[in-house]
Amino acid sequence: MERKLLGKTNLSVTALGFGSMEIRGTRVWNGRPISDDEAGILLNAVLDSGINFIDTSYDYGRSEELIGKYLRGRRQEYILATKCGCTLVDCGDHDETPHVWTRDNLLHNIETSLKRMGTDYVDLLQLHGPTAAQVEEGGLLDVLKEIQASGKARHLGISSYMPNLEAHLAGPGNYETYQLPYSALERDHETWIDRAAATGAGIIIRGGVGRGEPGLGLGQQDRWHRWDAAKLDELLEEGESRTGFLLRFTLSHPNLSTTIVGTMKPEHLKENIRIAERGTLPADVYAEAKRRLDSVSVN
């Protein structure tokens, strides 16, 4: 599978990464049930396939715990990213996940995450969606550098989105990576990816398959209306699925380092890998898809 440099980190990551939110379990954000054995089979299949980038977060339910349970013995085979600034609050039948932007919470996050995952460091520690004002008020950059100096995080990044992203790029963060939402159906960050990459940062794309075609995946019909309006079915190769085309469109962004695609089913993982191994869309098809998308507006 193709590998790319993750910006100024100089880490070599597979263009297709694994987003582990789907193995969070049922207590967070209406997650679906998954047994420990099912999670173990899936996570080992990720590494067996050659994927070497795994993204998780303190507030992804049981995700970190399961990574630790099943992959701690293979720690040298993959690049591990998690996020901080999070909490998990027991509300009886579910957990809420408010953010707390303080030094104490970030230190608690990294210590707990390392313990859960059975490792003494993460390759990438990302702030999980703060505003630039919250970063400044909490002195969060200093806290991240403190964690990095301790050896518990090798590189530092941020998961963000507009309108917050503009202030982060203009501020003193100098993050090594930016994690941003993007797909053919959600192109608001298309040029912002270029601006973030121009700083030398690596670009991690989330949402790159629009959660899958409605009925086959978890995508929402209102978002997929843009597909129909742009008549993208006309651009599909014989036998190509809509979700497959969408993944290849995402992979075609010239400043993408990796896109994290989540699943809880090994057969979906295999299909994602098969699609990613086909590589980017032909240049003329990619350009035509963007032209068609530019020409439509779906409320």
Side-chain angles (χ1 to χ4, degrees):
M1 189 180 300
E2 181 184 8
R3 295 194 181 197
K4 298 186 176 185
L5 284 181
L6 187 61
K8 65 185 78 172
T9 71
N10 285 323
L11 296 171
S12 178
V13 295
T14 47
L16 178 65
F18 181 72
S20 67
M21 189 174 73
E22 287 300 319
I23 63 169
R24 65 189 180 274
T26 59
R27 290 189 59 83
V28 176
W29 310 321
N30 298 310
R32 295 176 290 172
I34 183 170
S35 71
D36 283 23
D37 286 346
E38 289 170 331
I41 290 170
L42 178 68
L43 288 167
N44 278 285
V46 168
L47 298 190
D48 292 342
S49 74
I51 290 173
N52 79 337
F53 184 78
I54 296 178
D55 177 84
T56 186
S57 179
Y58 178 95
D59 58 355
Y60 284 3
R62 296 192 64 218
S63 172
E64 289 186 329
E65 173 192 343
L66 292 166
I67 290 169
K69 182 173 183 177
Y70 291 105
L71 296 186
R72 69 177 63 198
R74 304 181 68 174
R75 182 65 184 89
Q76 299 307 310
E77 298 180 42
Y78 64 99
I79 293 163
L80 179 59
T82 195
K83 306 179 193 76
C84 61
C86 324
T87 65
L88 281 168
V89 180
D90 188 336
C91 295
D93 63 348
H94 72 286
D95 293 331
E96 294 291 338
T97 58
H99 289 99
V100 176
W101 302 114
T102 63
R103 176 179 182 273
D104 285 349
N105 192 48
L106 266 59
L107 295 179
H108 166 75
N109 284 171
I110 187 62
E111 293 293 344
T112 304
S113 293
L114 294 178
K115 183 176 180 180
R116 288 172 177 167
M117 294 189 287
T119 184
D120 55 5
Y121 73 97
V122 293
D123 296 284
L124 176 63
L125 182 63
Q126 305 157 96
L127 292 175
H128 199 181
T131 65
Q134 288 169 329
V135 172
E136 182 177 2
E137 291 164 5
L140 304 185
L141 293 177
D142 289 337
V143 182
L144 289 181
K145 291 174 183 177
E146 177 184 347
I147 293 170
Q148 185 180 44
S150 74
K152 294 173 183 177
R154 293 185 172 177
H155 301 282
L156 306 174
I158 189 167
S159 178
S160 190
Y161 45 85
M162 288 299 290
N164 298 333
L165 177 60
E166 184 171 12
H168 289 306
L169 288 171
N174 197 28
Y175 298 104
E176 294 175 273
T177 66
Y178 287 87
Q179 184 175 140
L180 303 171
Y182 175 69
S183 77
L185 307 180
E186 186 182 12
R187 298 174 63 208
D188 294 348
H189 292 80
E190 190 165 81
T191 58
W192 287 101
I193 290 171
D194 298 328
R195 297 186 194 187
T199 70
I203 304 299
I204 303 163
I205 298 301
R206 63 179 185 271
V209 295
R211 304 194 75 196
E213 184 181 353
L216 300 175
L218 299 175
Q220 297 176 343
Q221 190 63 53
D222 58 349
R223 179 172 294 178
W224 277 80
H225 282 166
R226 182 172 292 276
W227 176 286
D228 294 323
K231 299 181 179 180
L232 295 185
D233 281 333
E234 297 176 357
L235 302 182
L236 297 179
E237 296 179 4
E238 185 175 356
E240 186 171 32
S241 69
R242 288 179 165 192
T243 302
F245 184 95
L246 204 65
L247 177 54
R248 294 180 71 200
F249 182 98
T250 298
L251 290 168
S252 298
H253 194 294
N255 281 314
L256 170 144
S257 302
T258 185
T259 181
I260 48 174
V261 180
T263 184
M264 56 185 291
K265 296 183 180 296
E267 59 269 27
H268 291 168
L269 174 67
K270 290 179 182 178
E271 178 64 6
N272 292 337
I273 293 164
R274 184 190 69 79
I275 294 165
E277 287 178 340
R278 295 185 64 193
T280 61
L281 293 172
D284 60 333
V285 175
Y286 182 51
E288 176 63 13
K290 291 204 294 183
R291 187 194 68 76
R292 293 184 180 209
L293 289 162
D294 286 339
S295 70
V296 301
S297 177
V298 177
N299 294 326

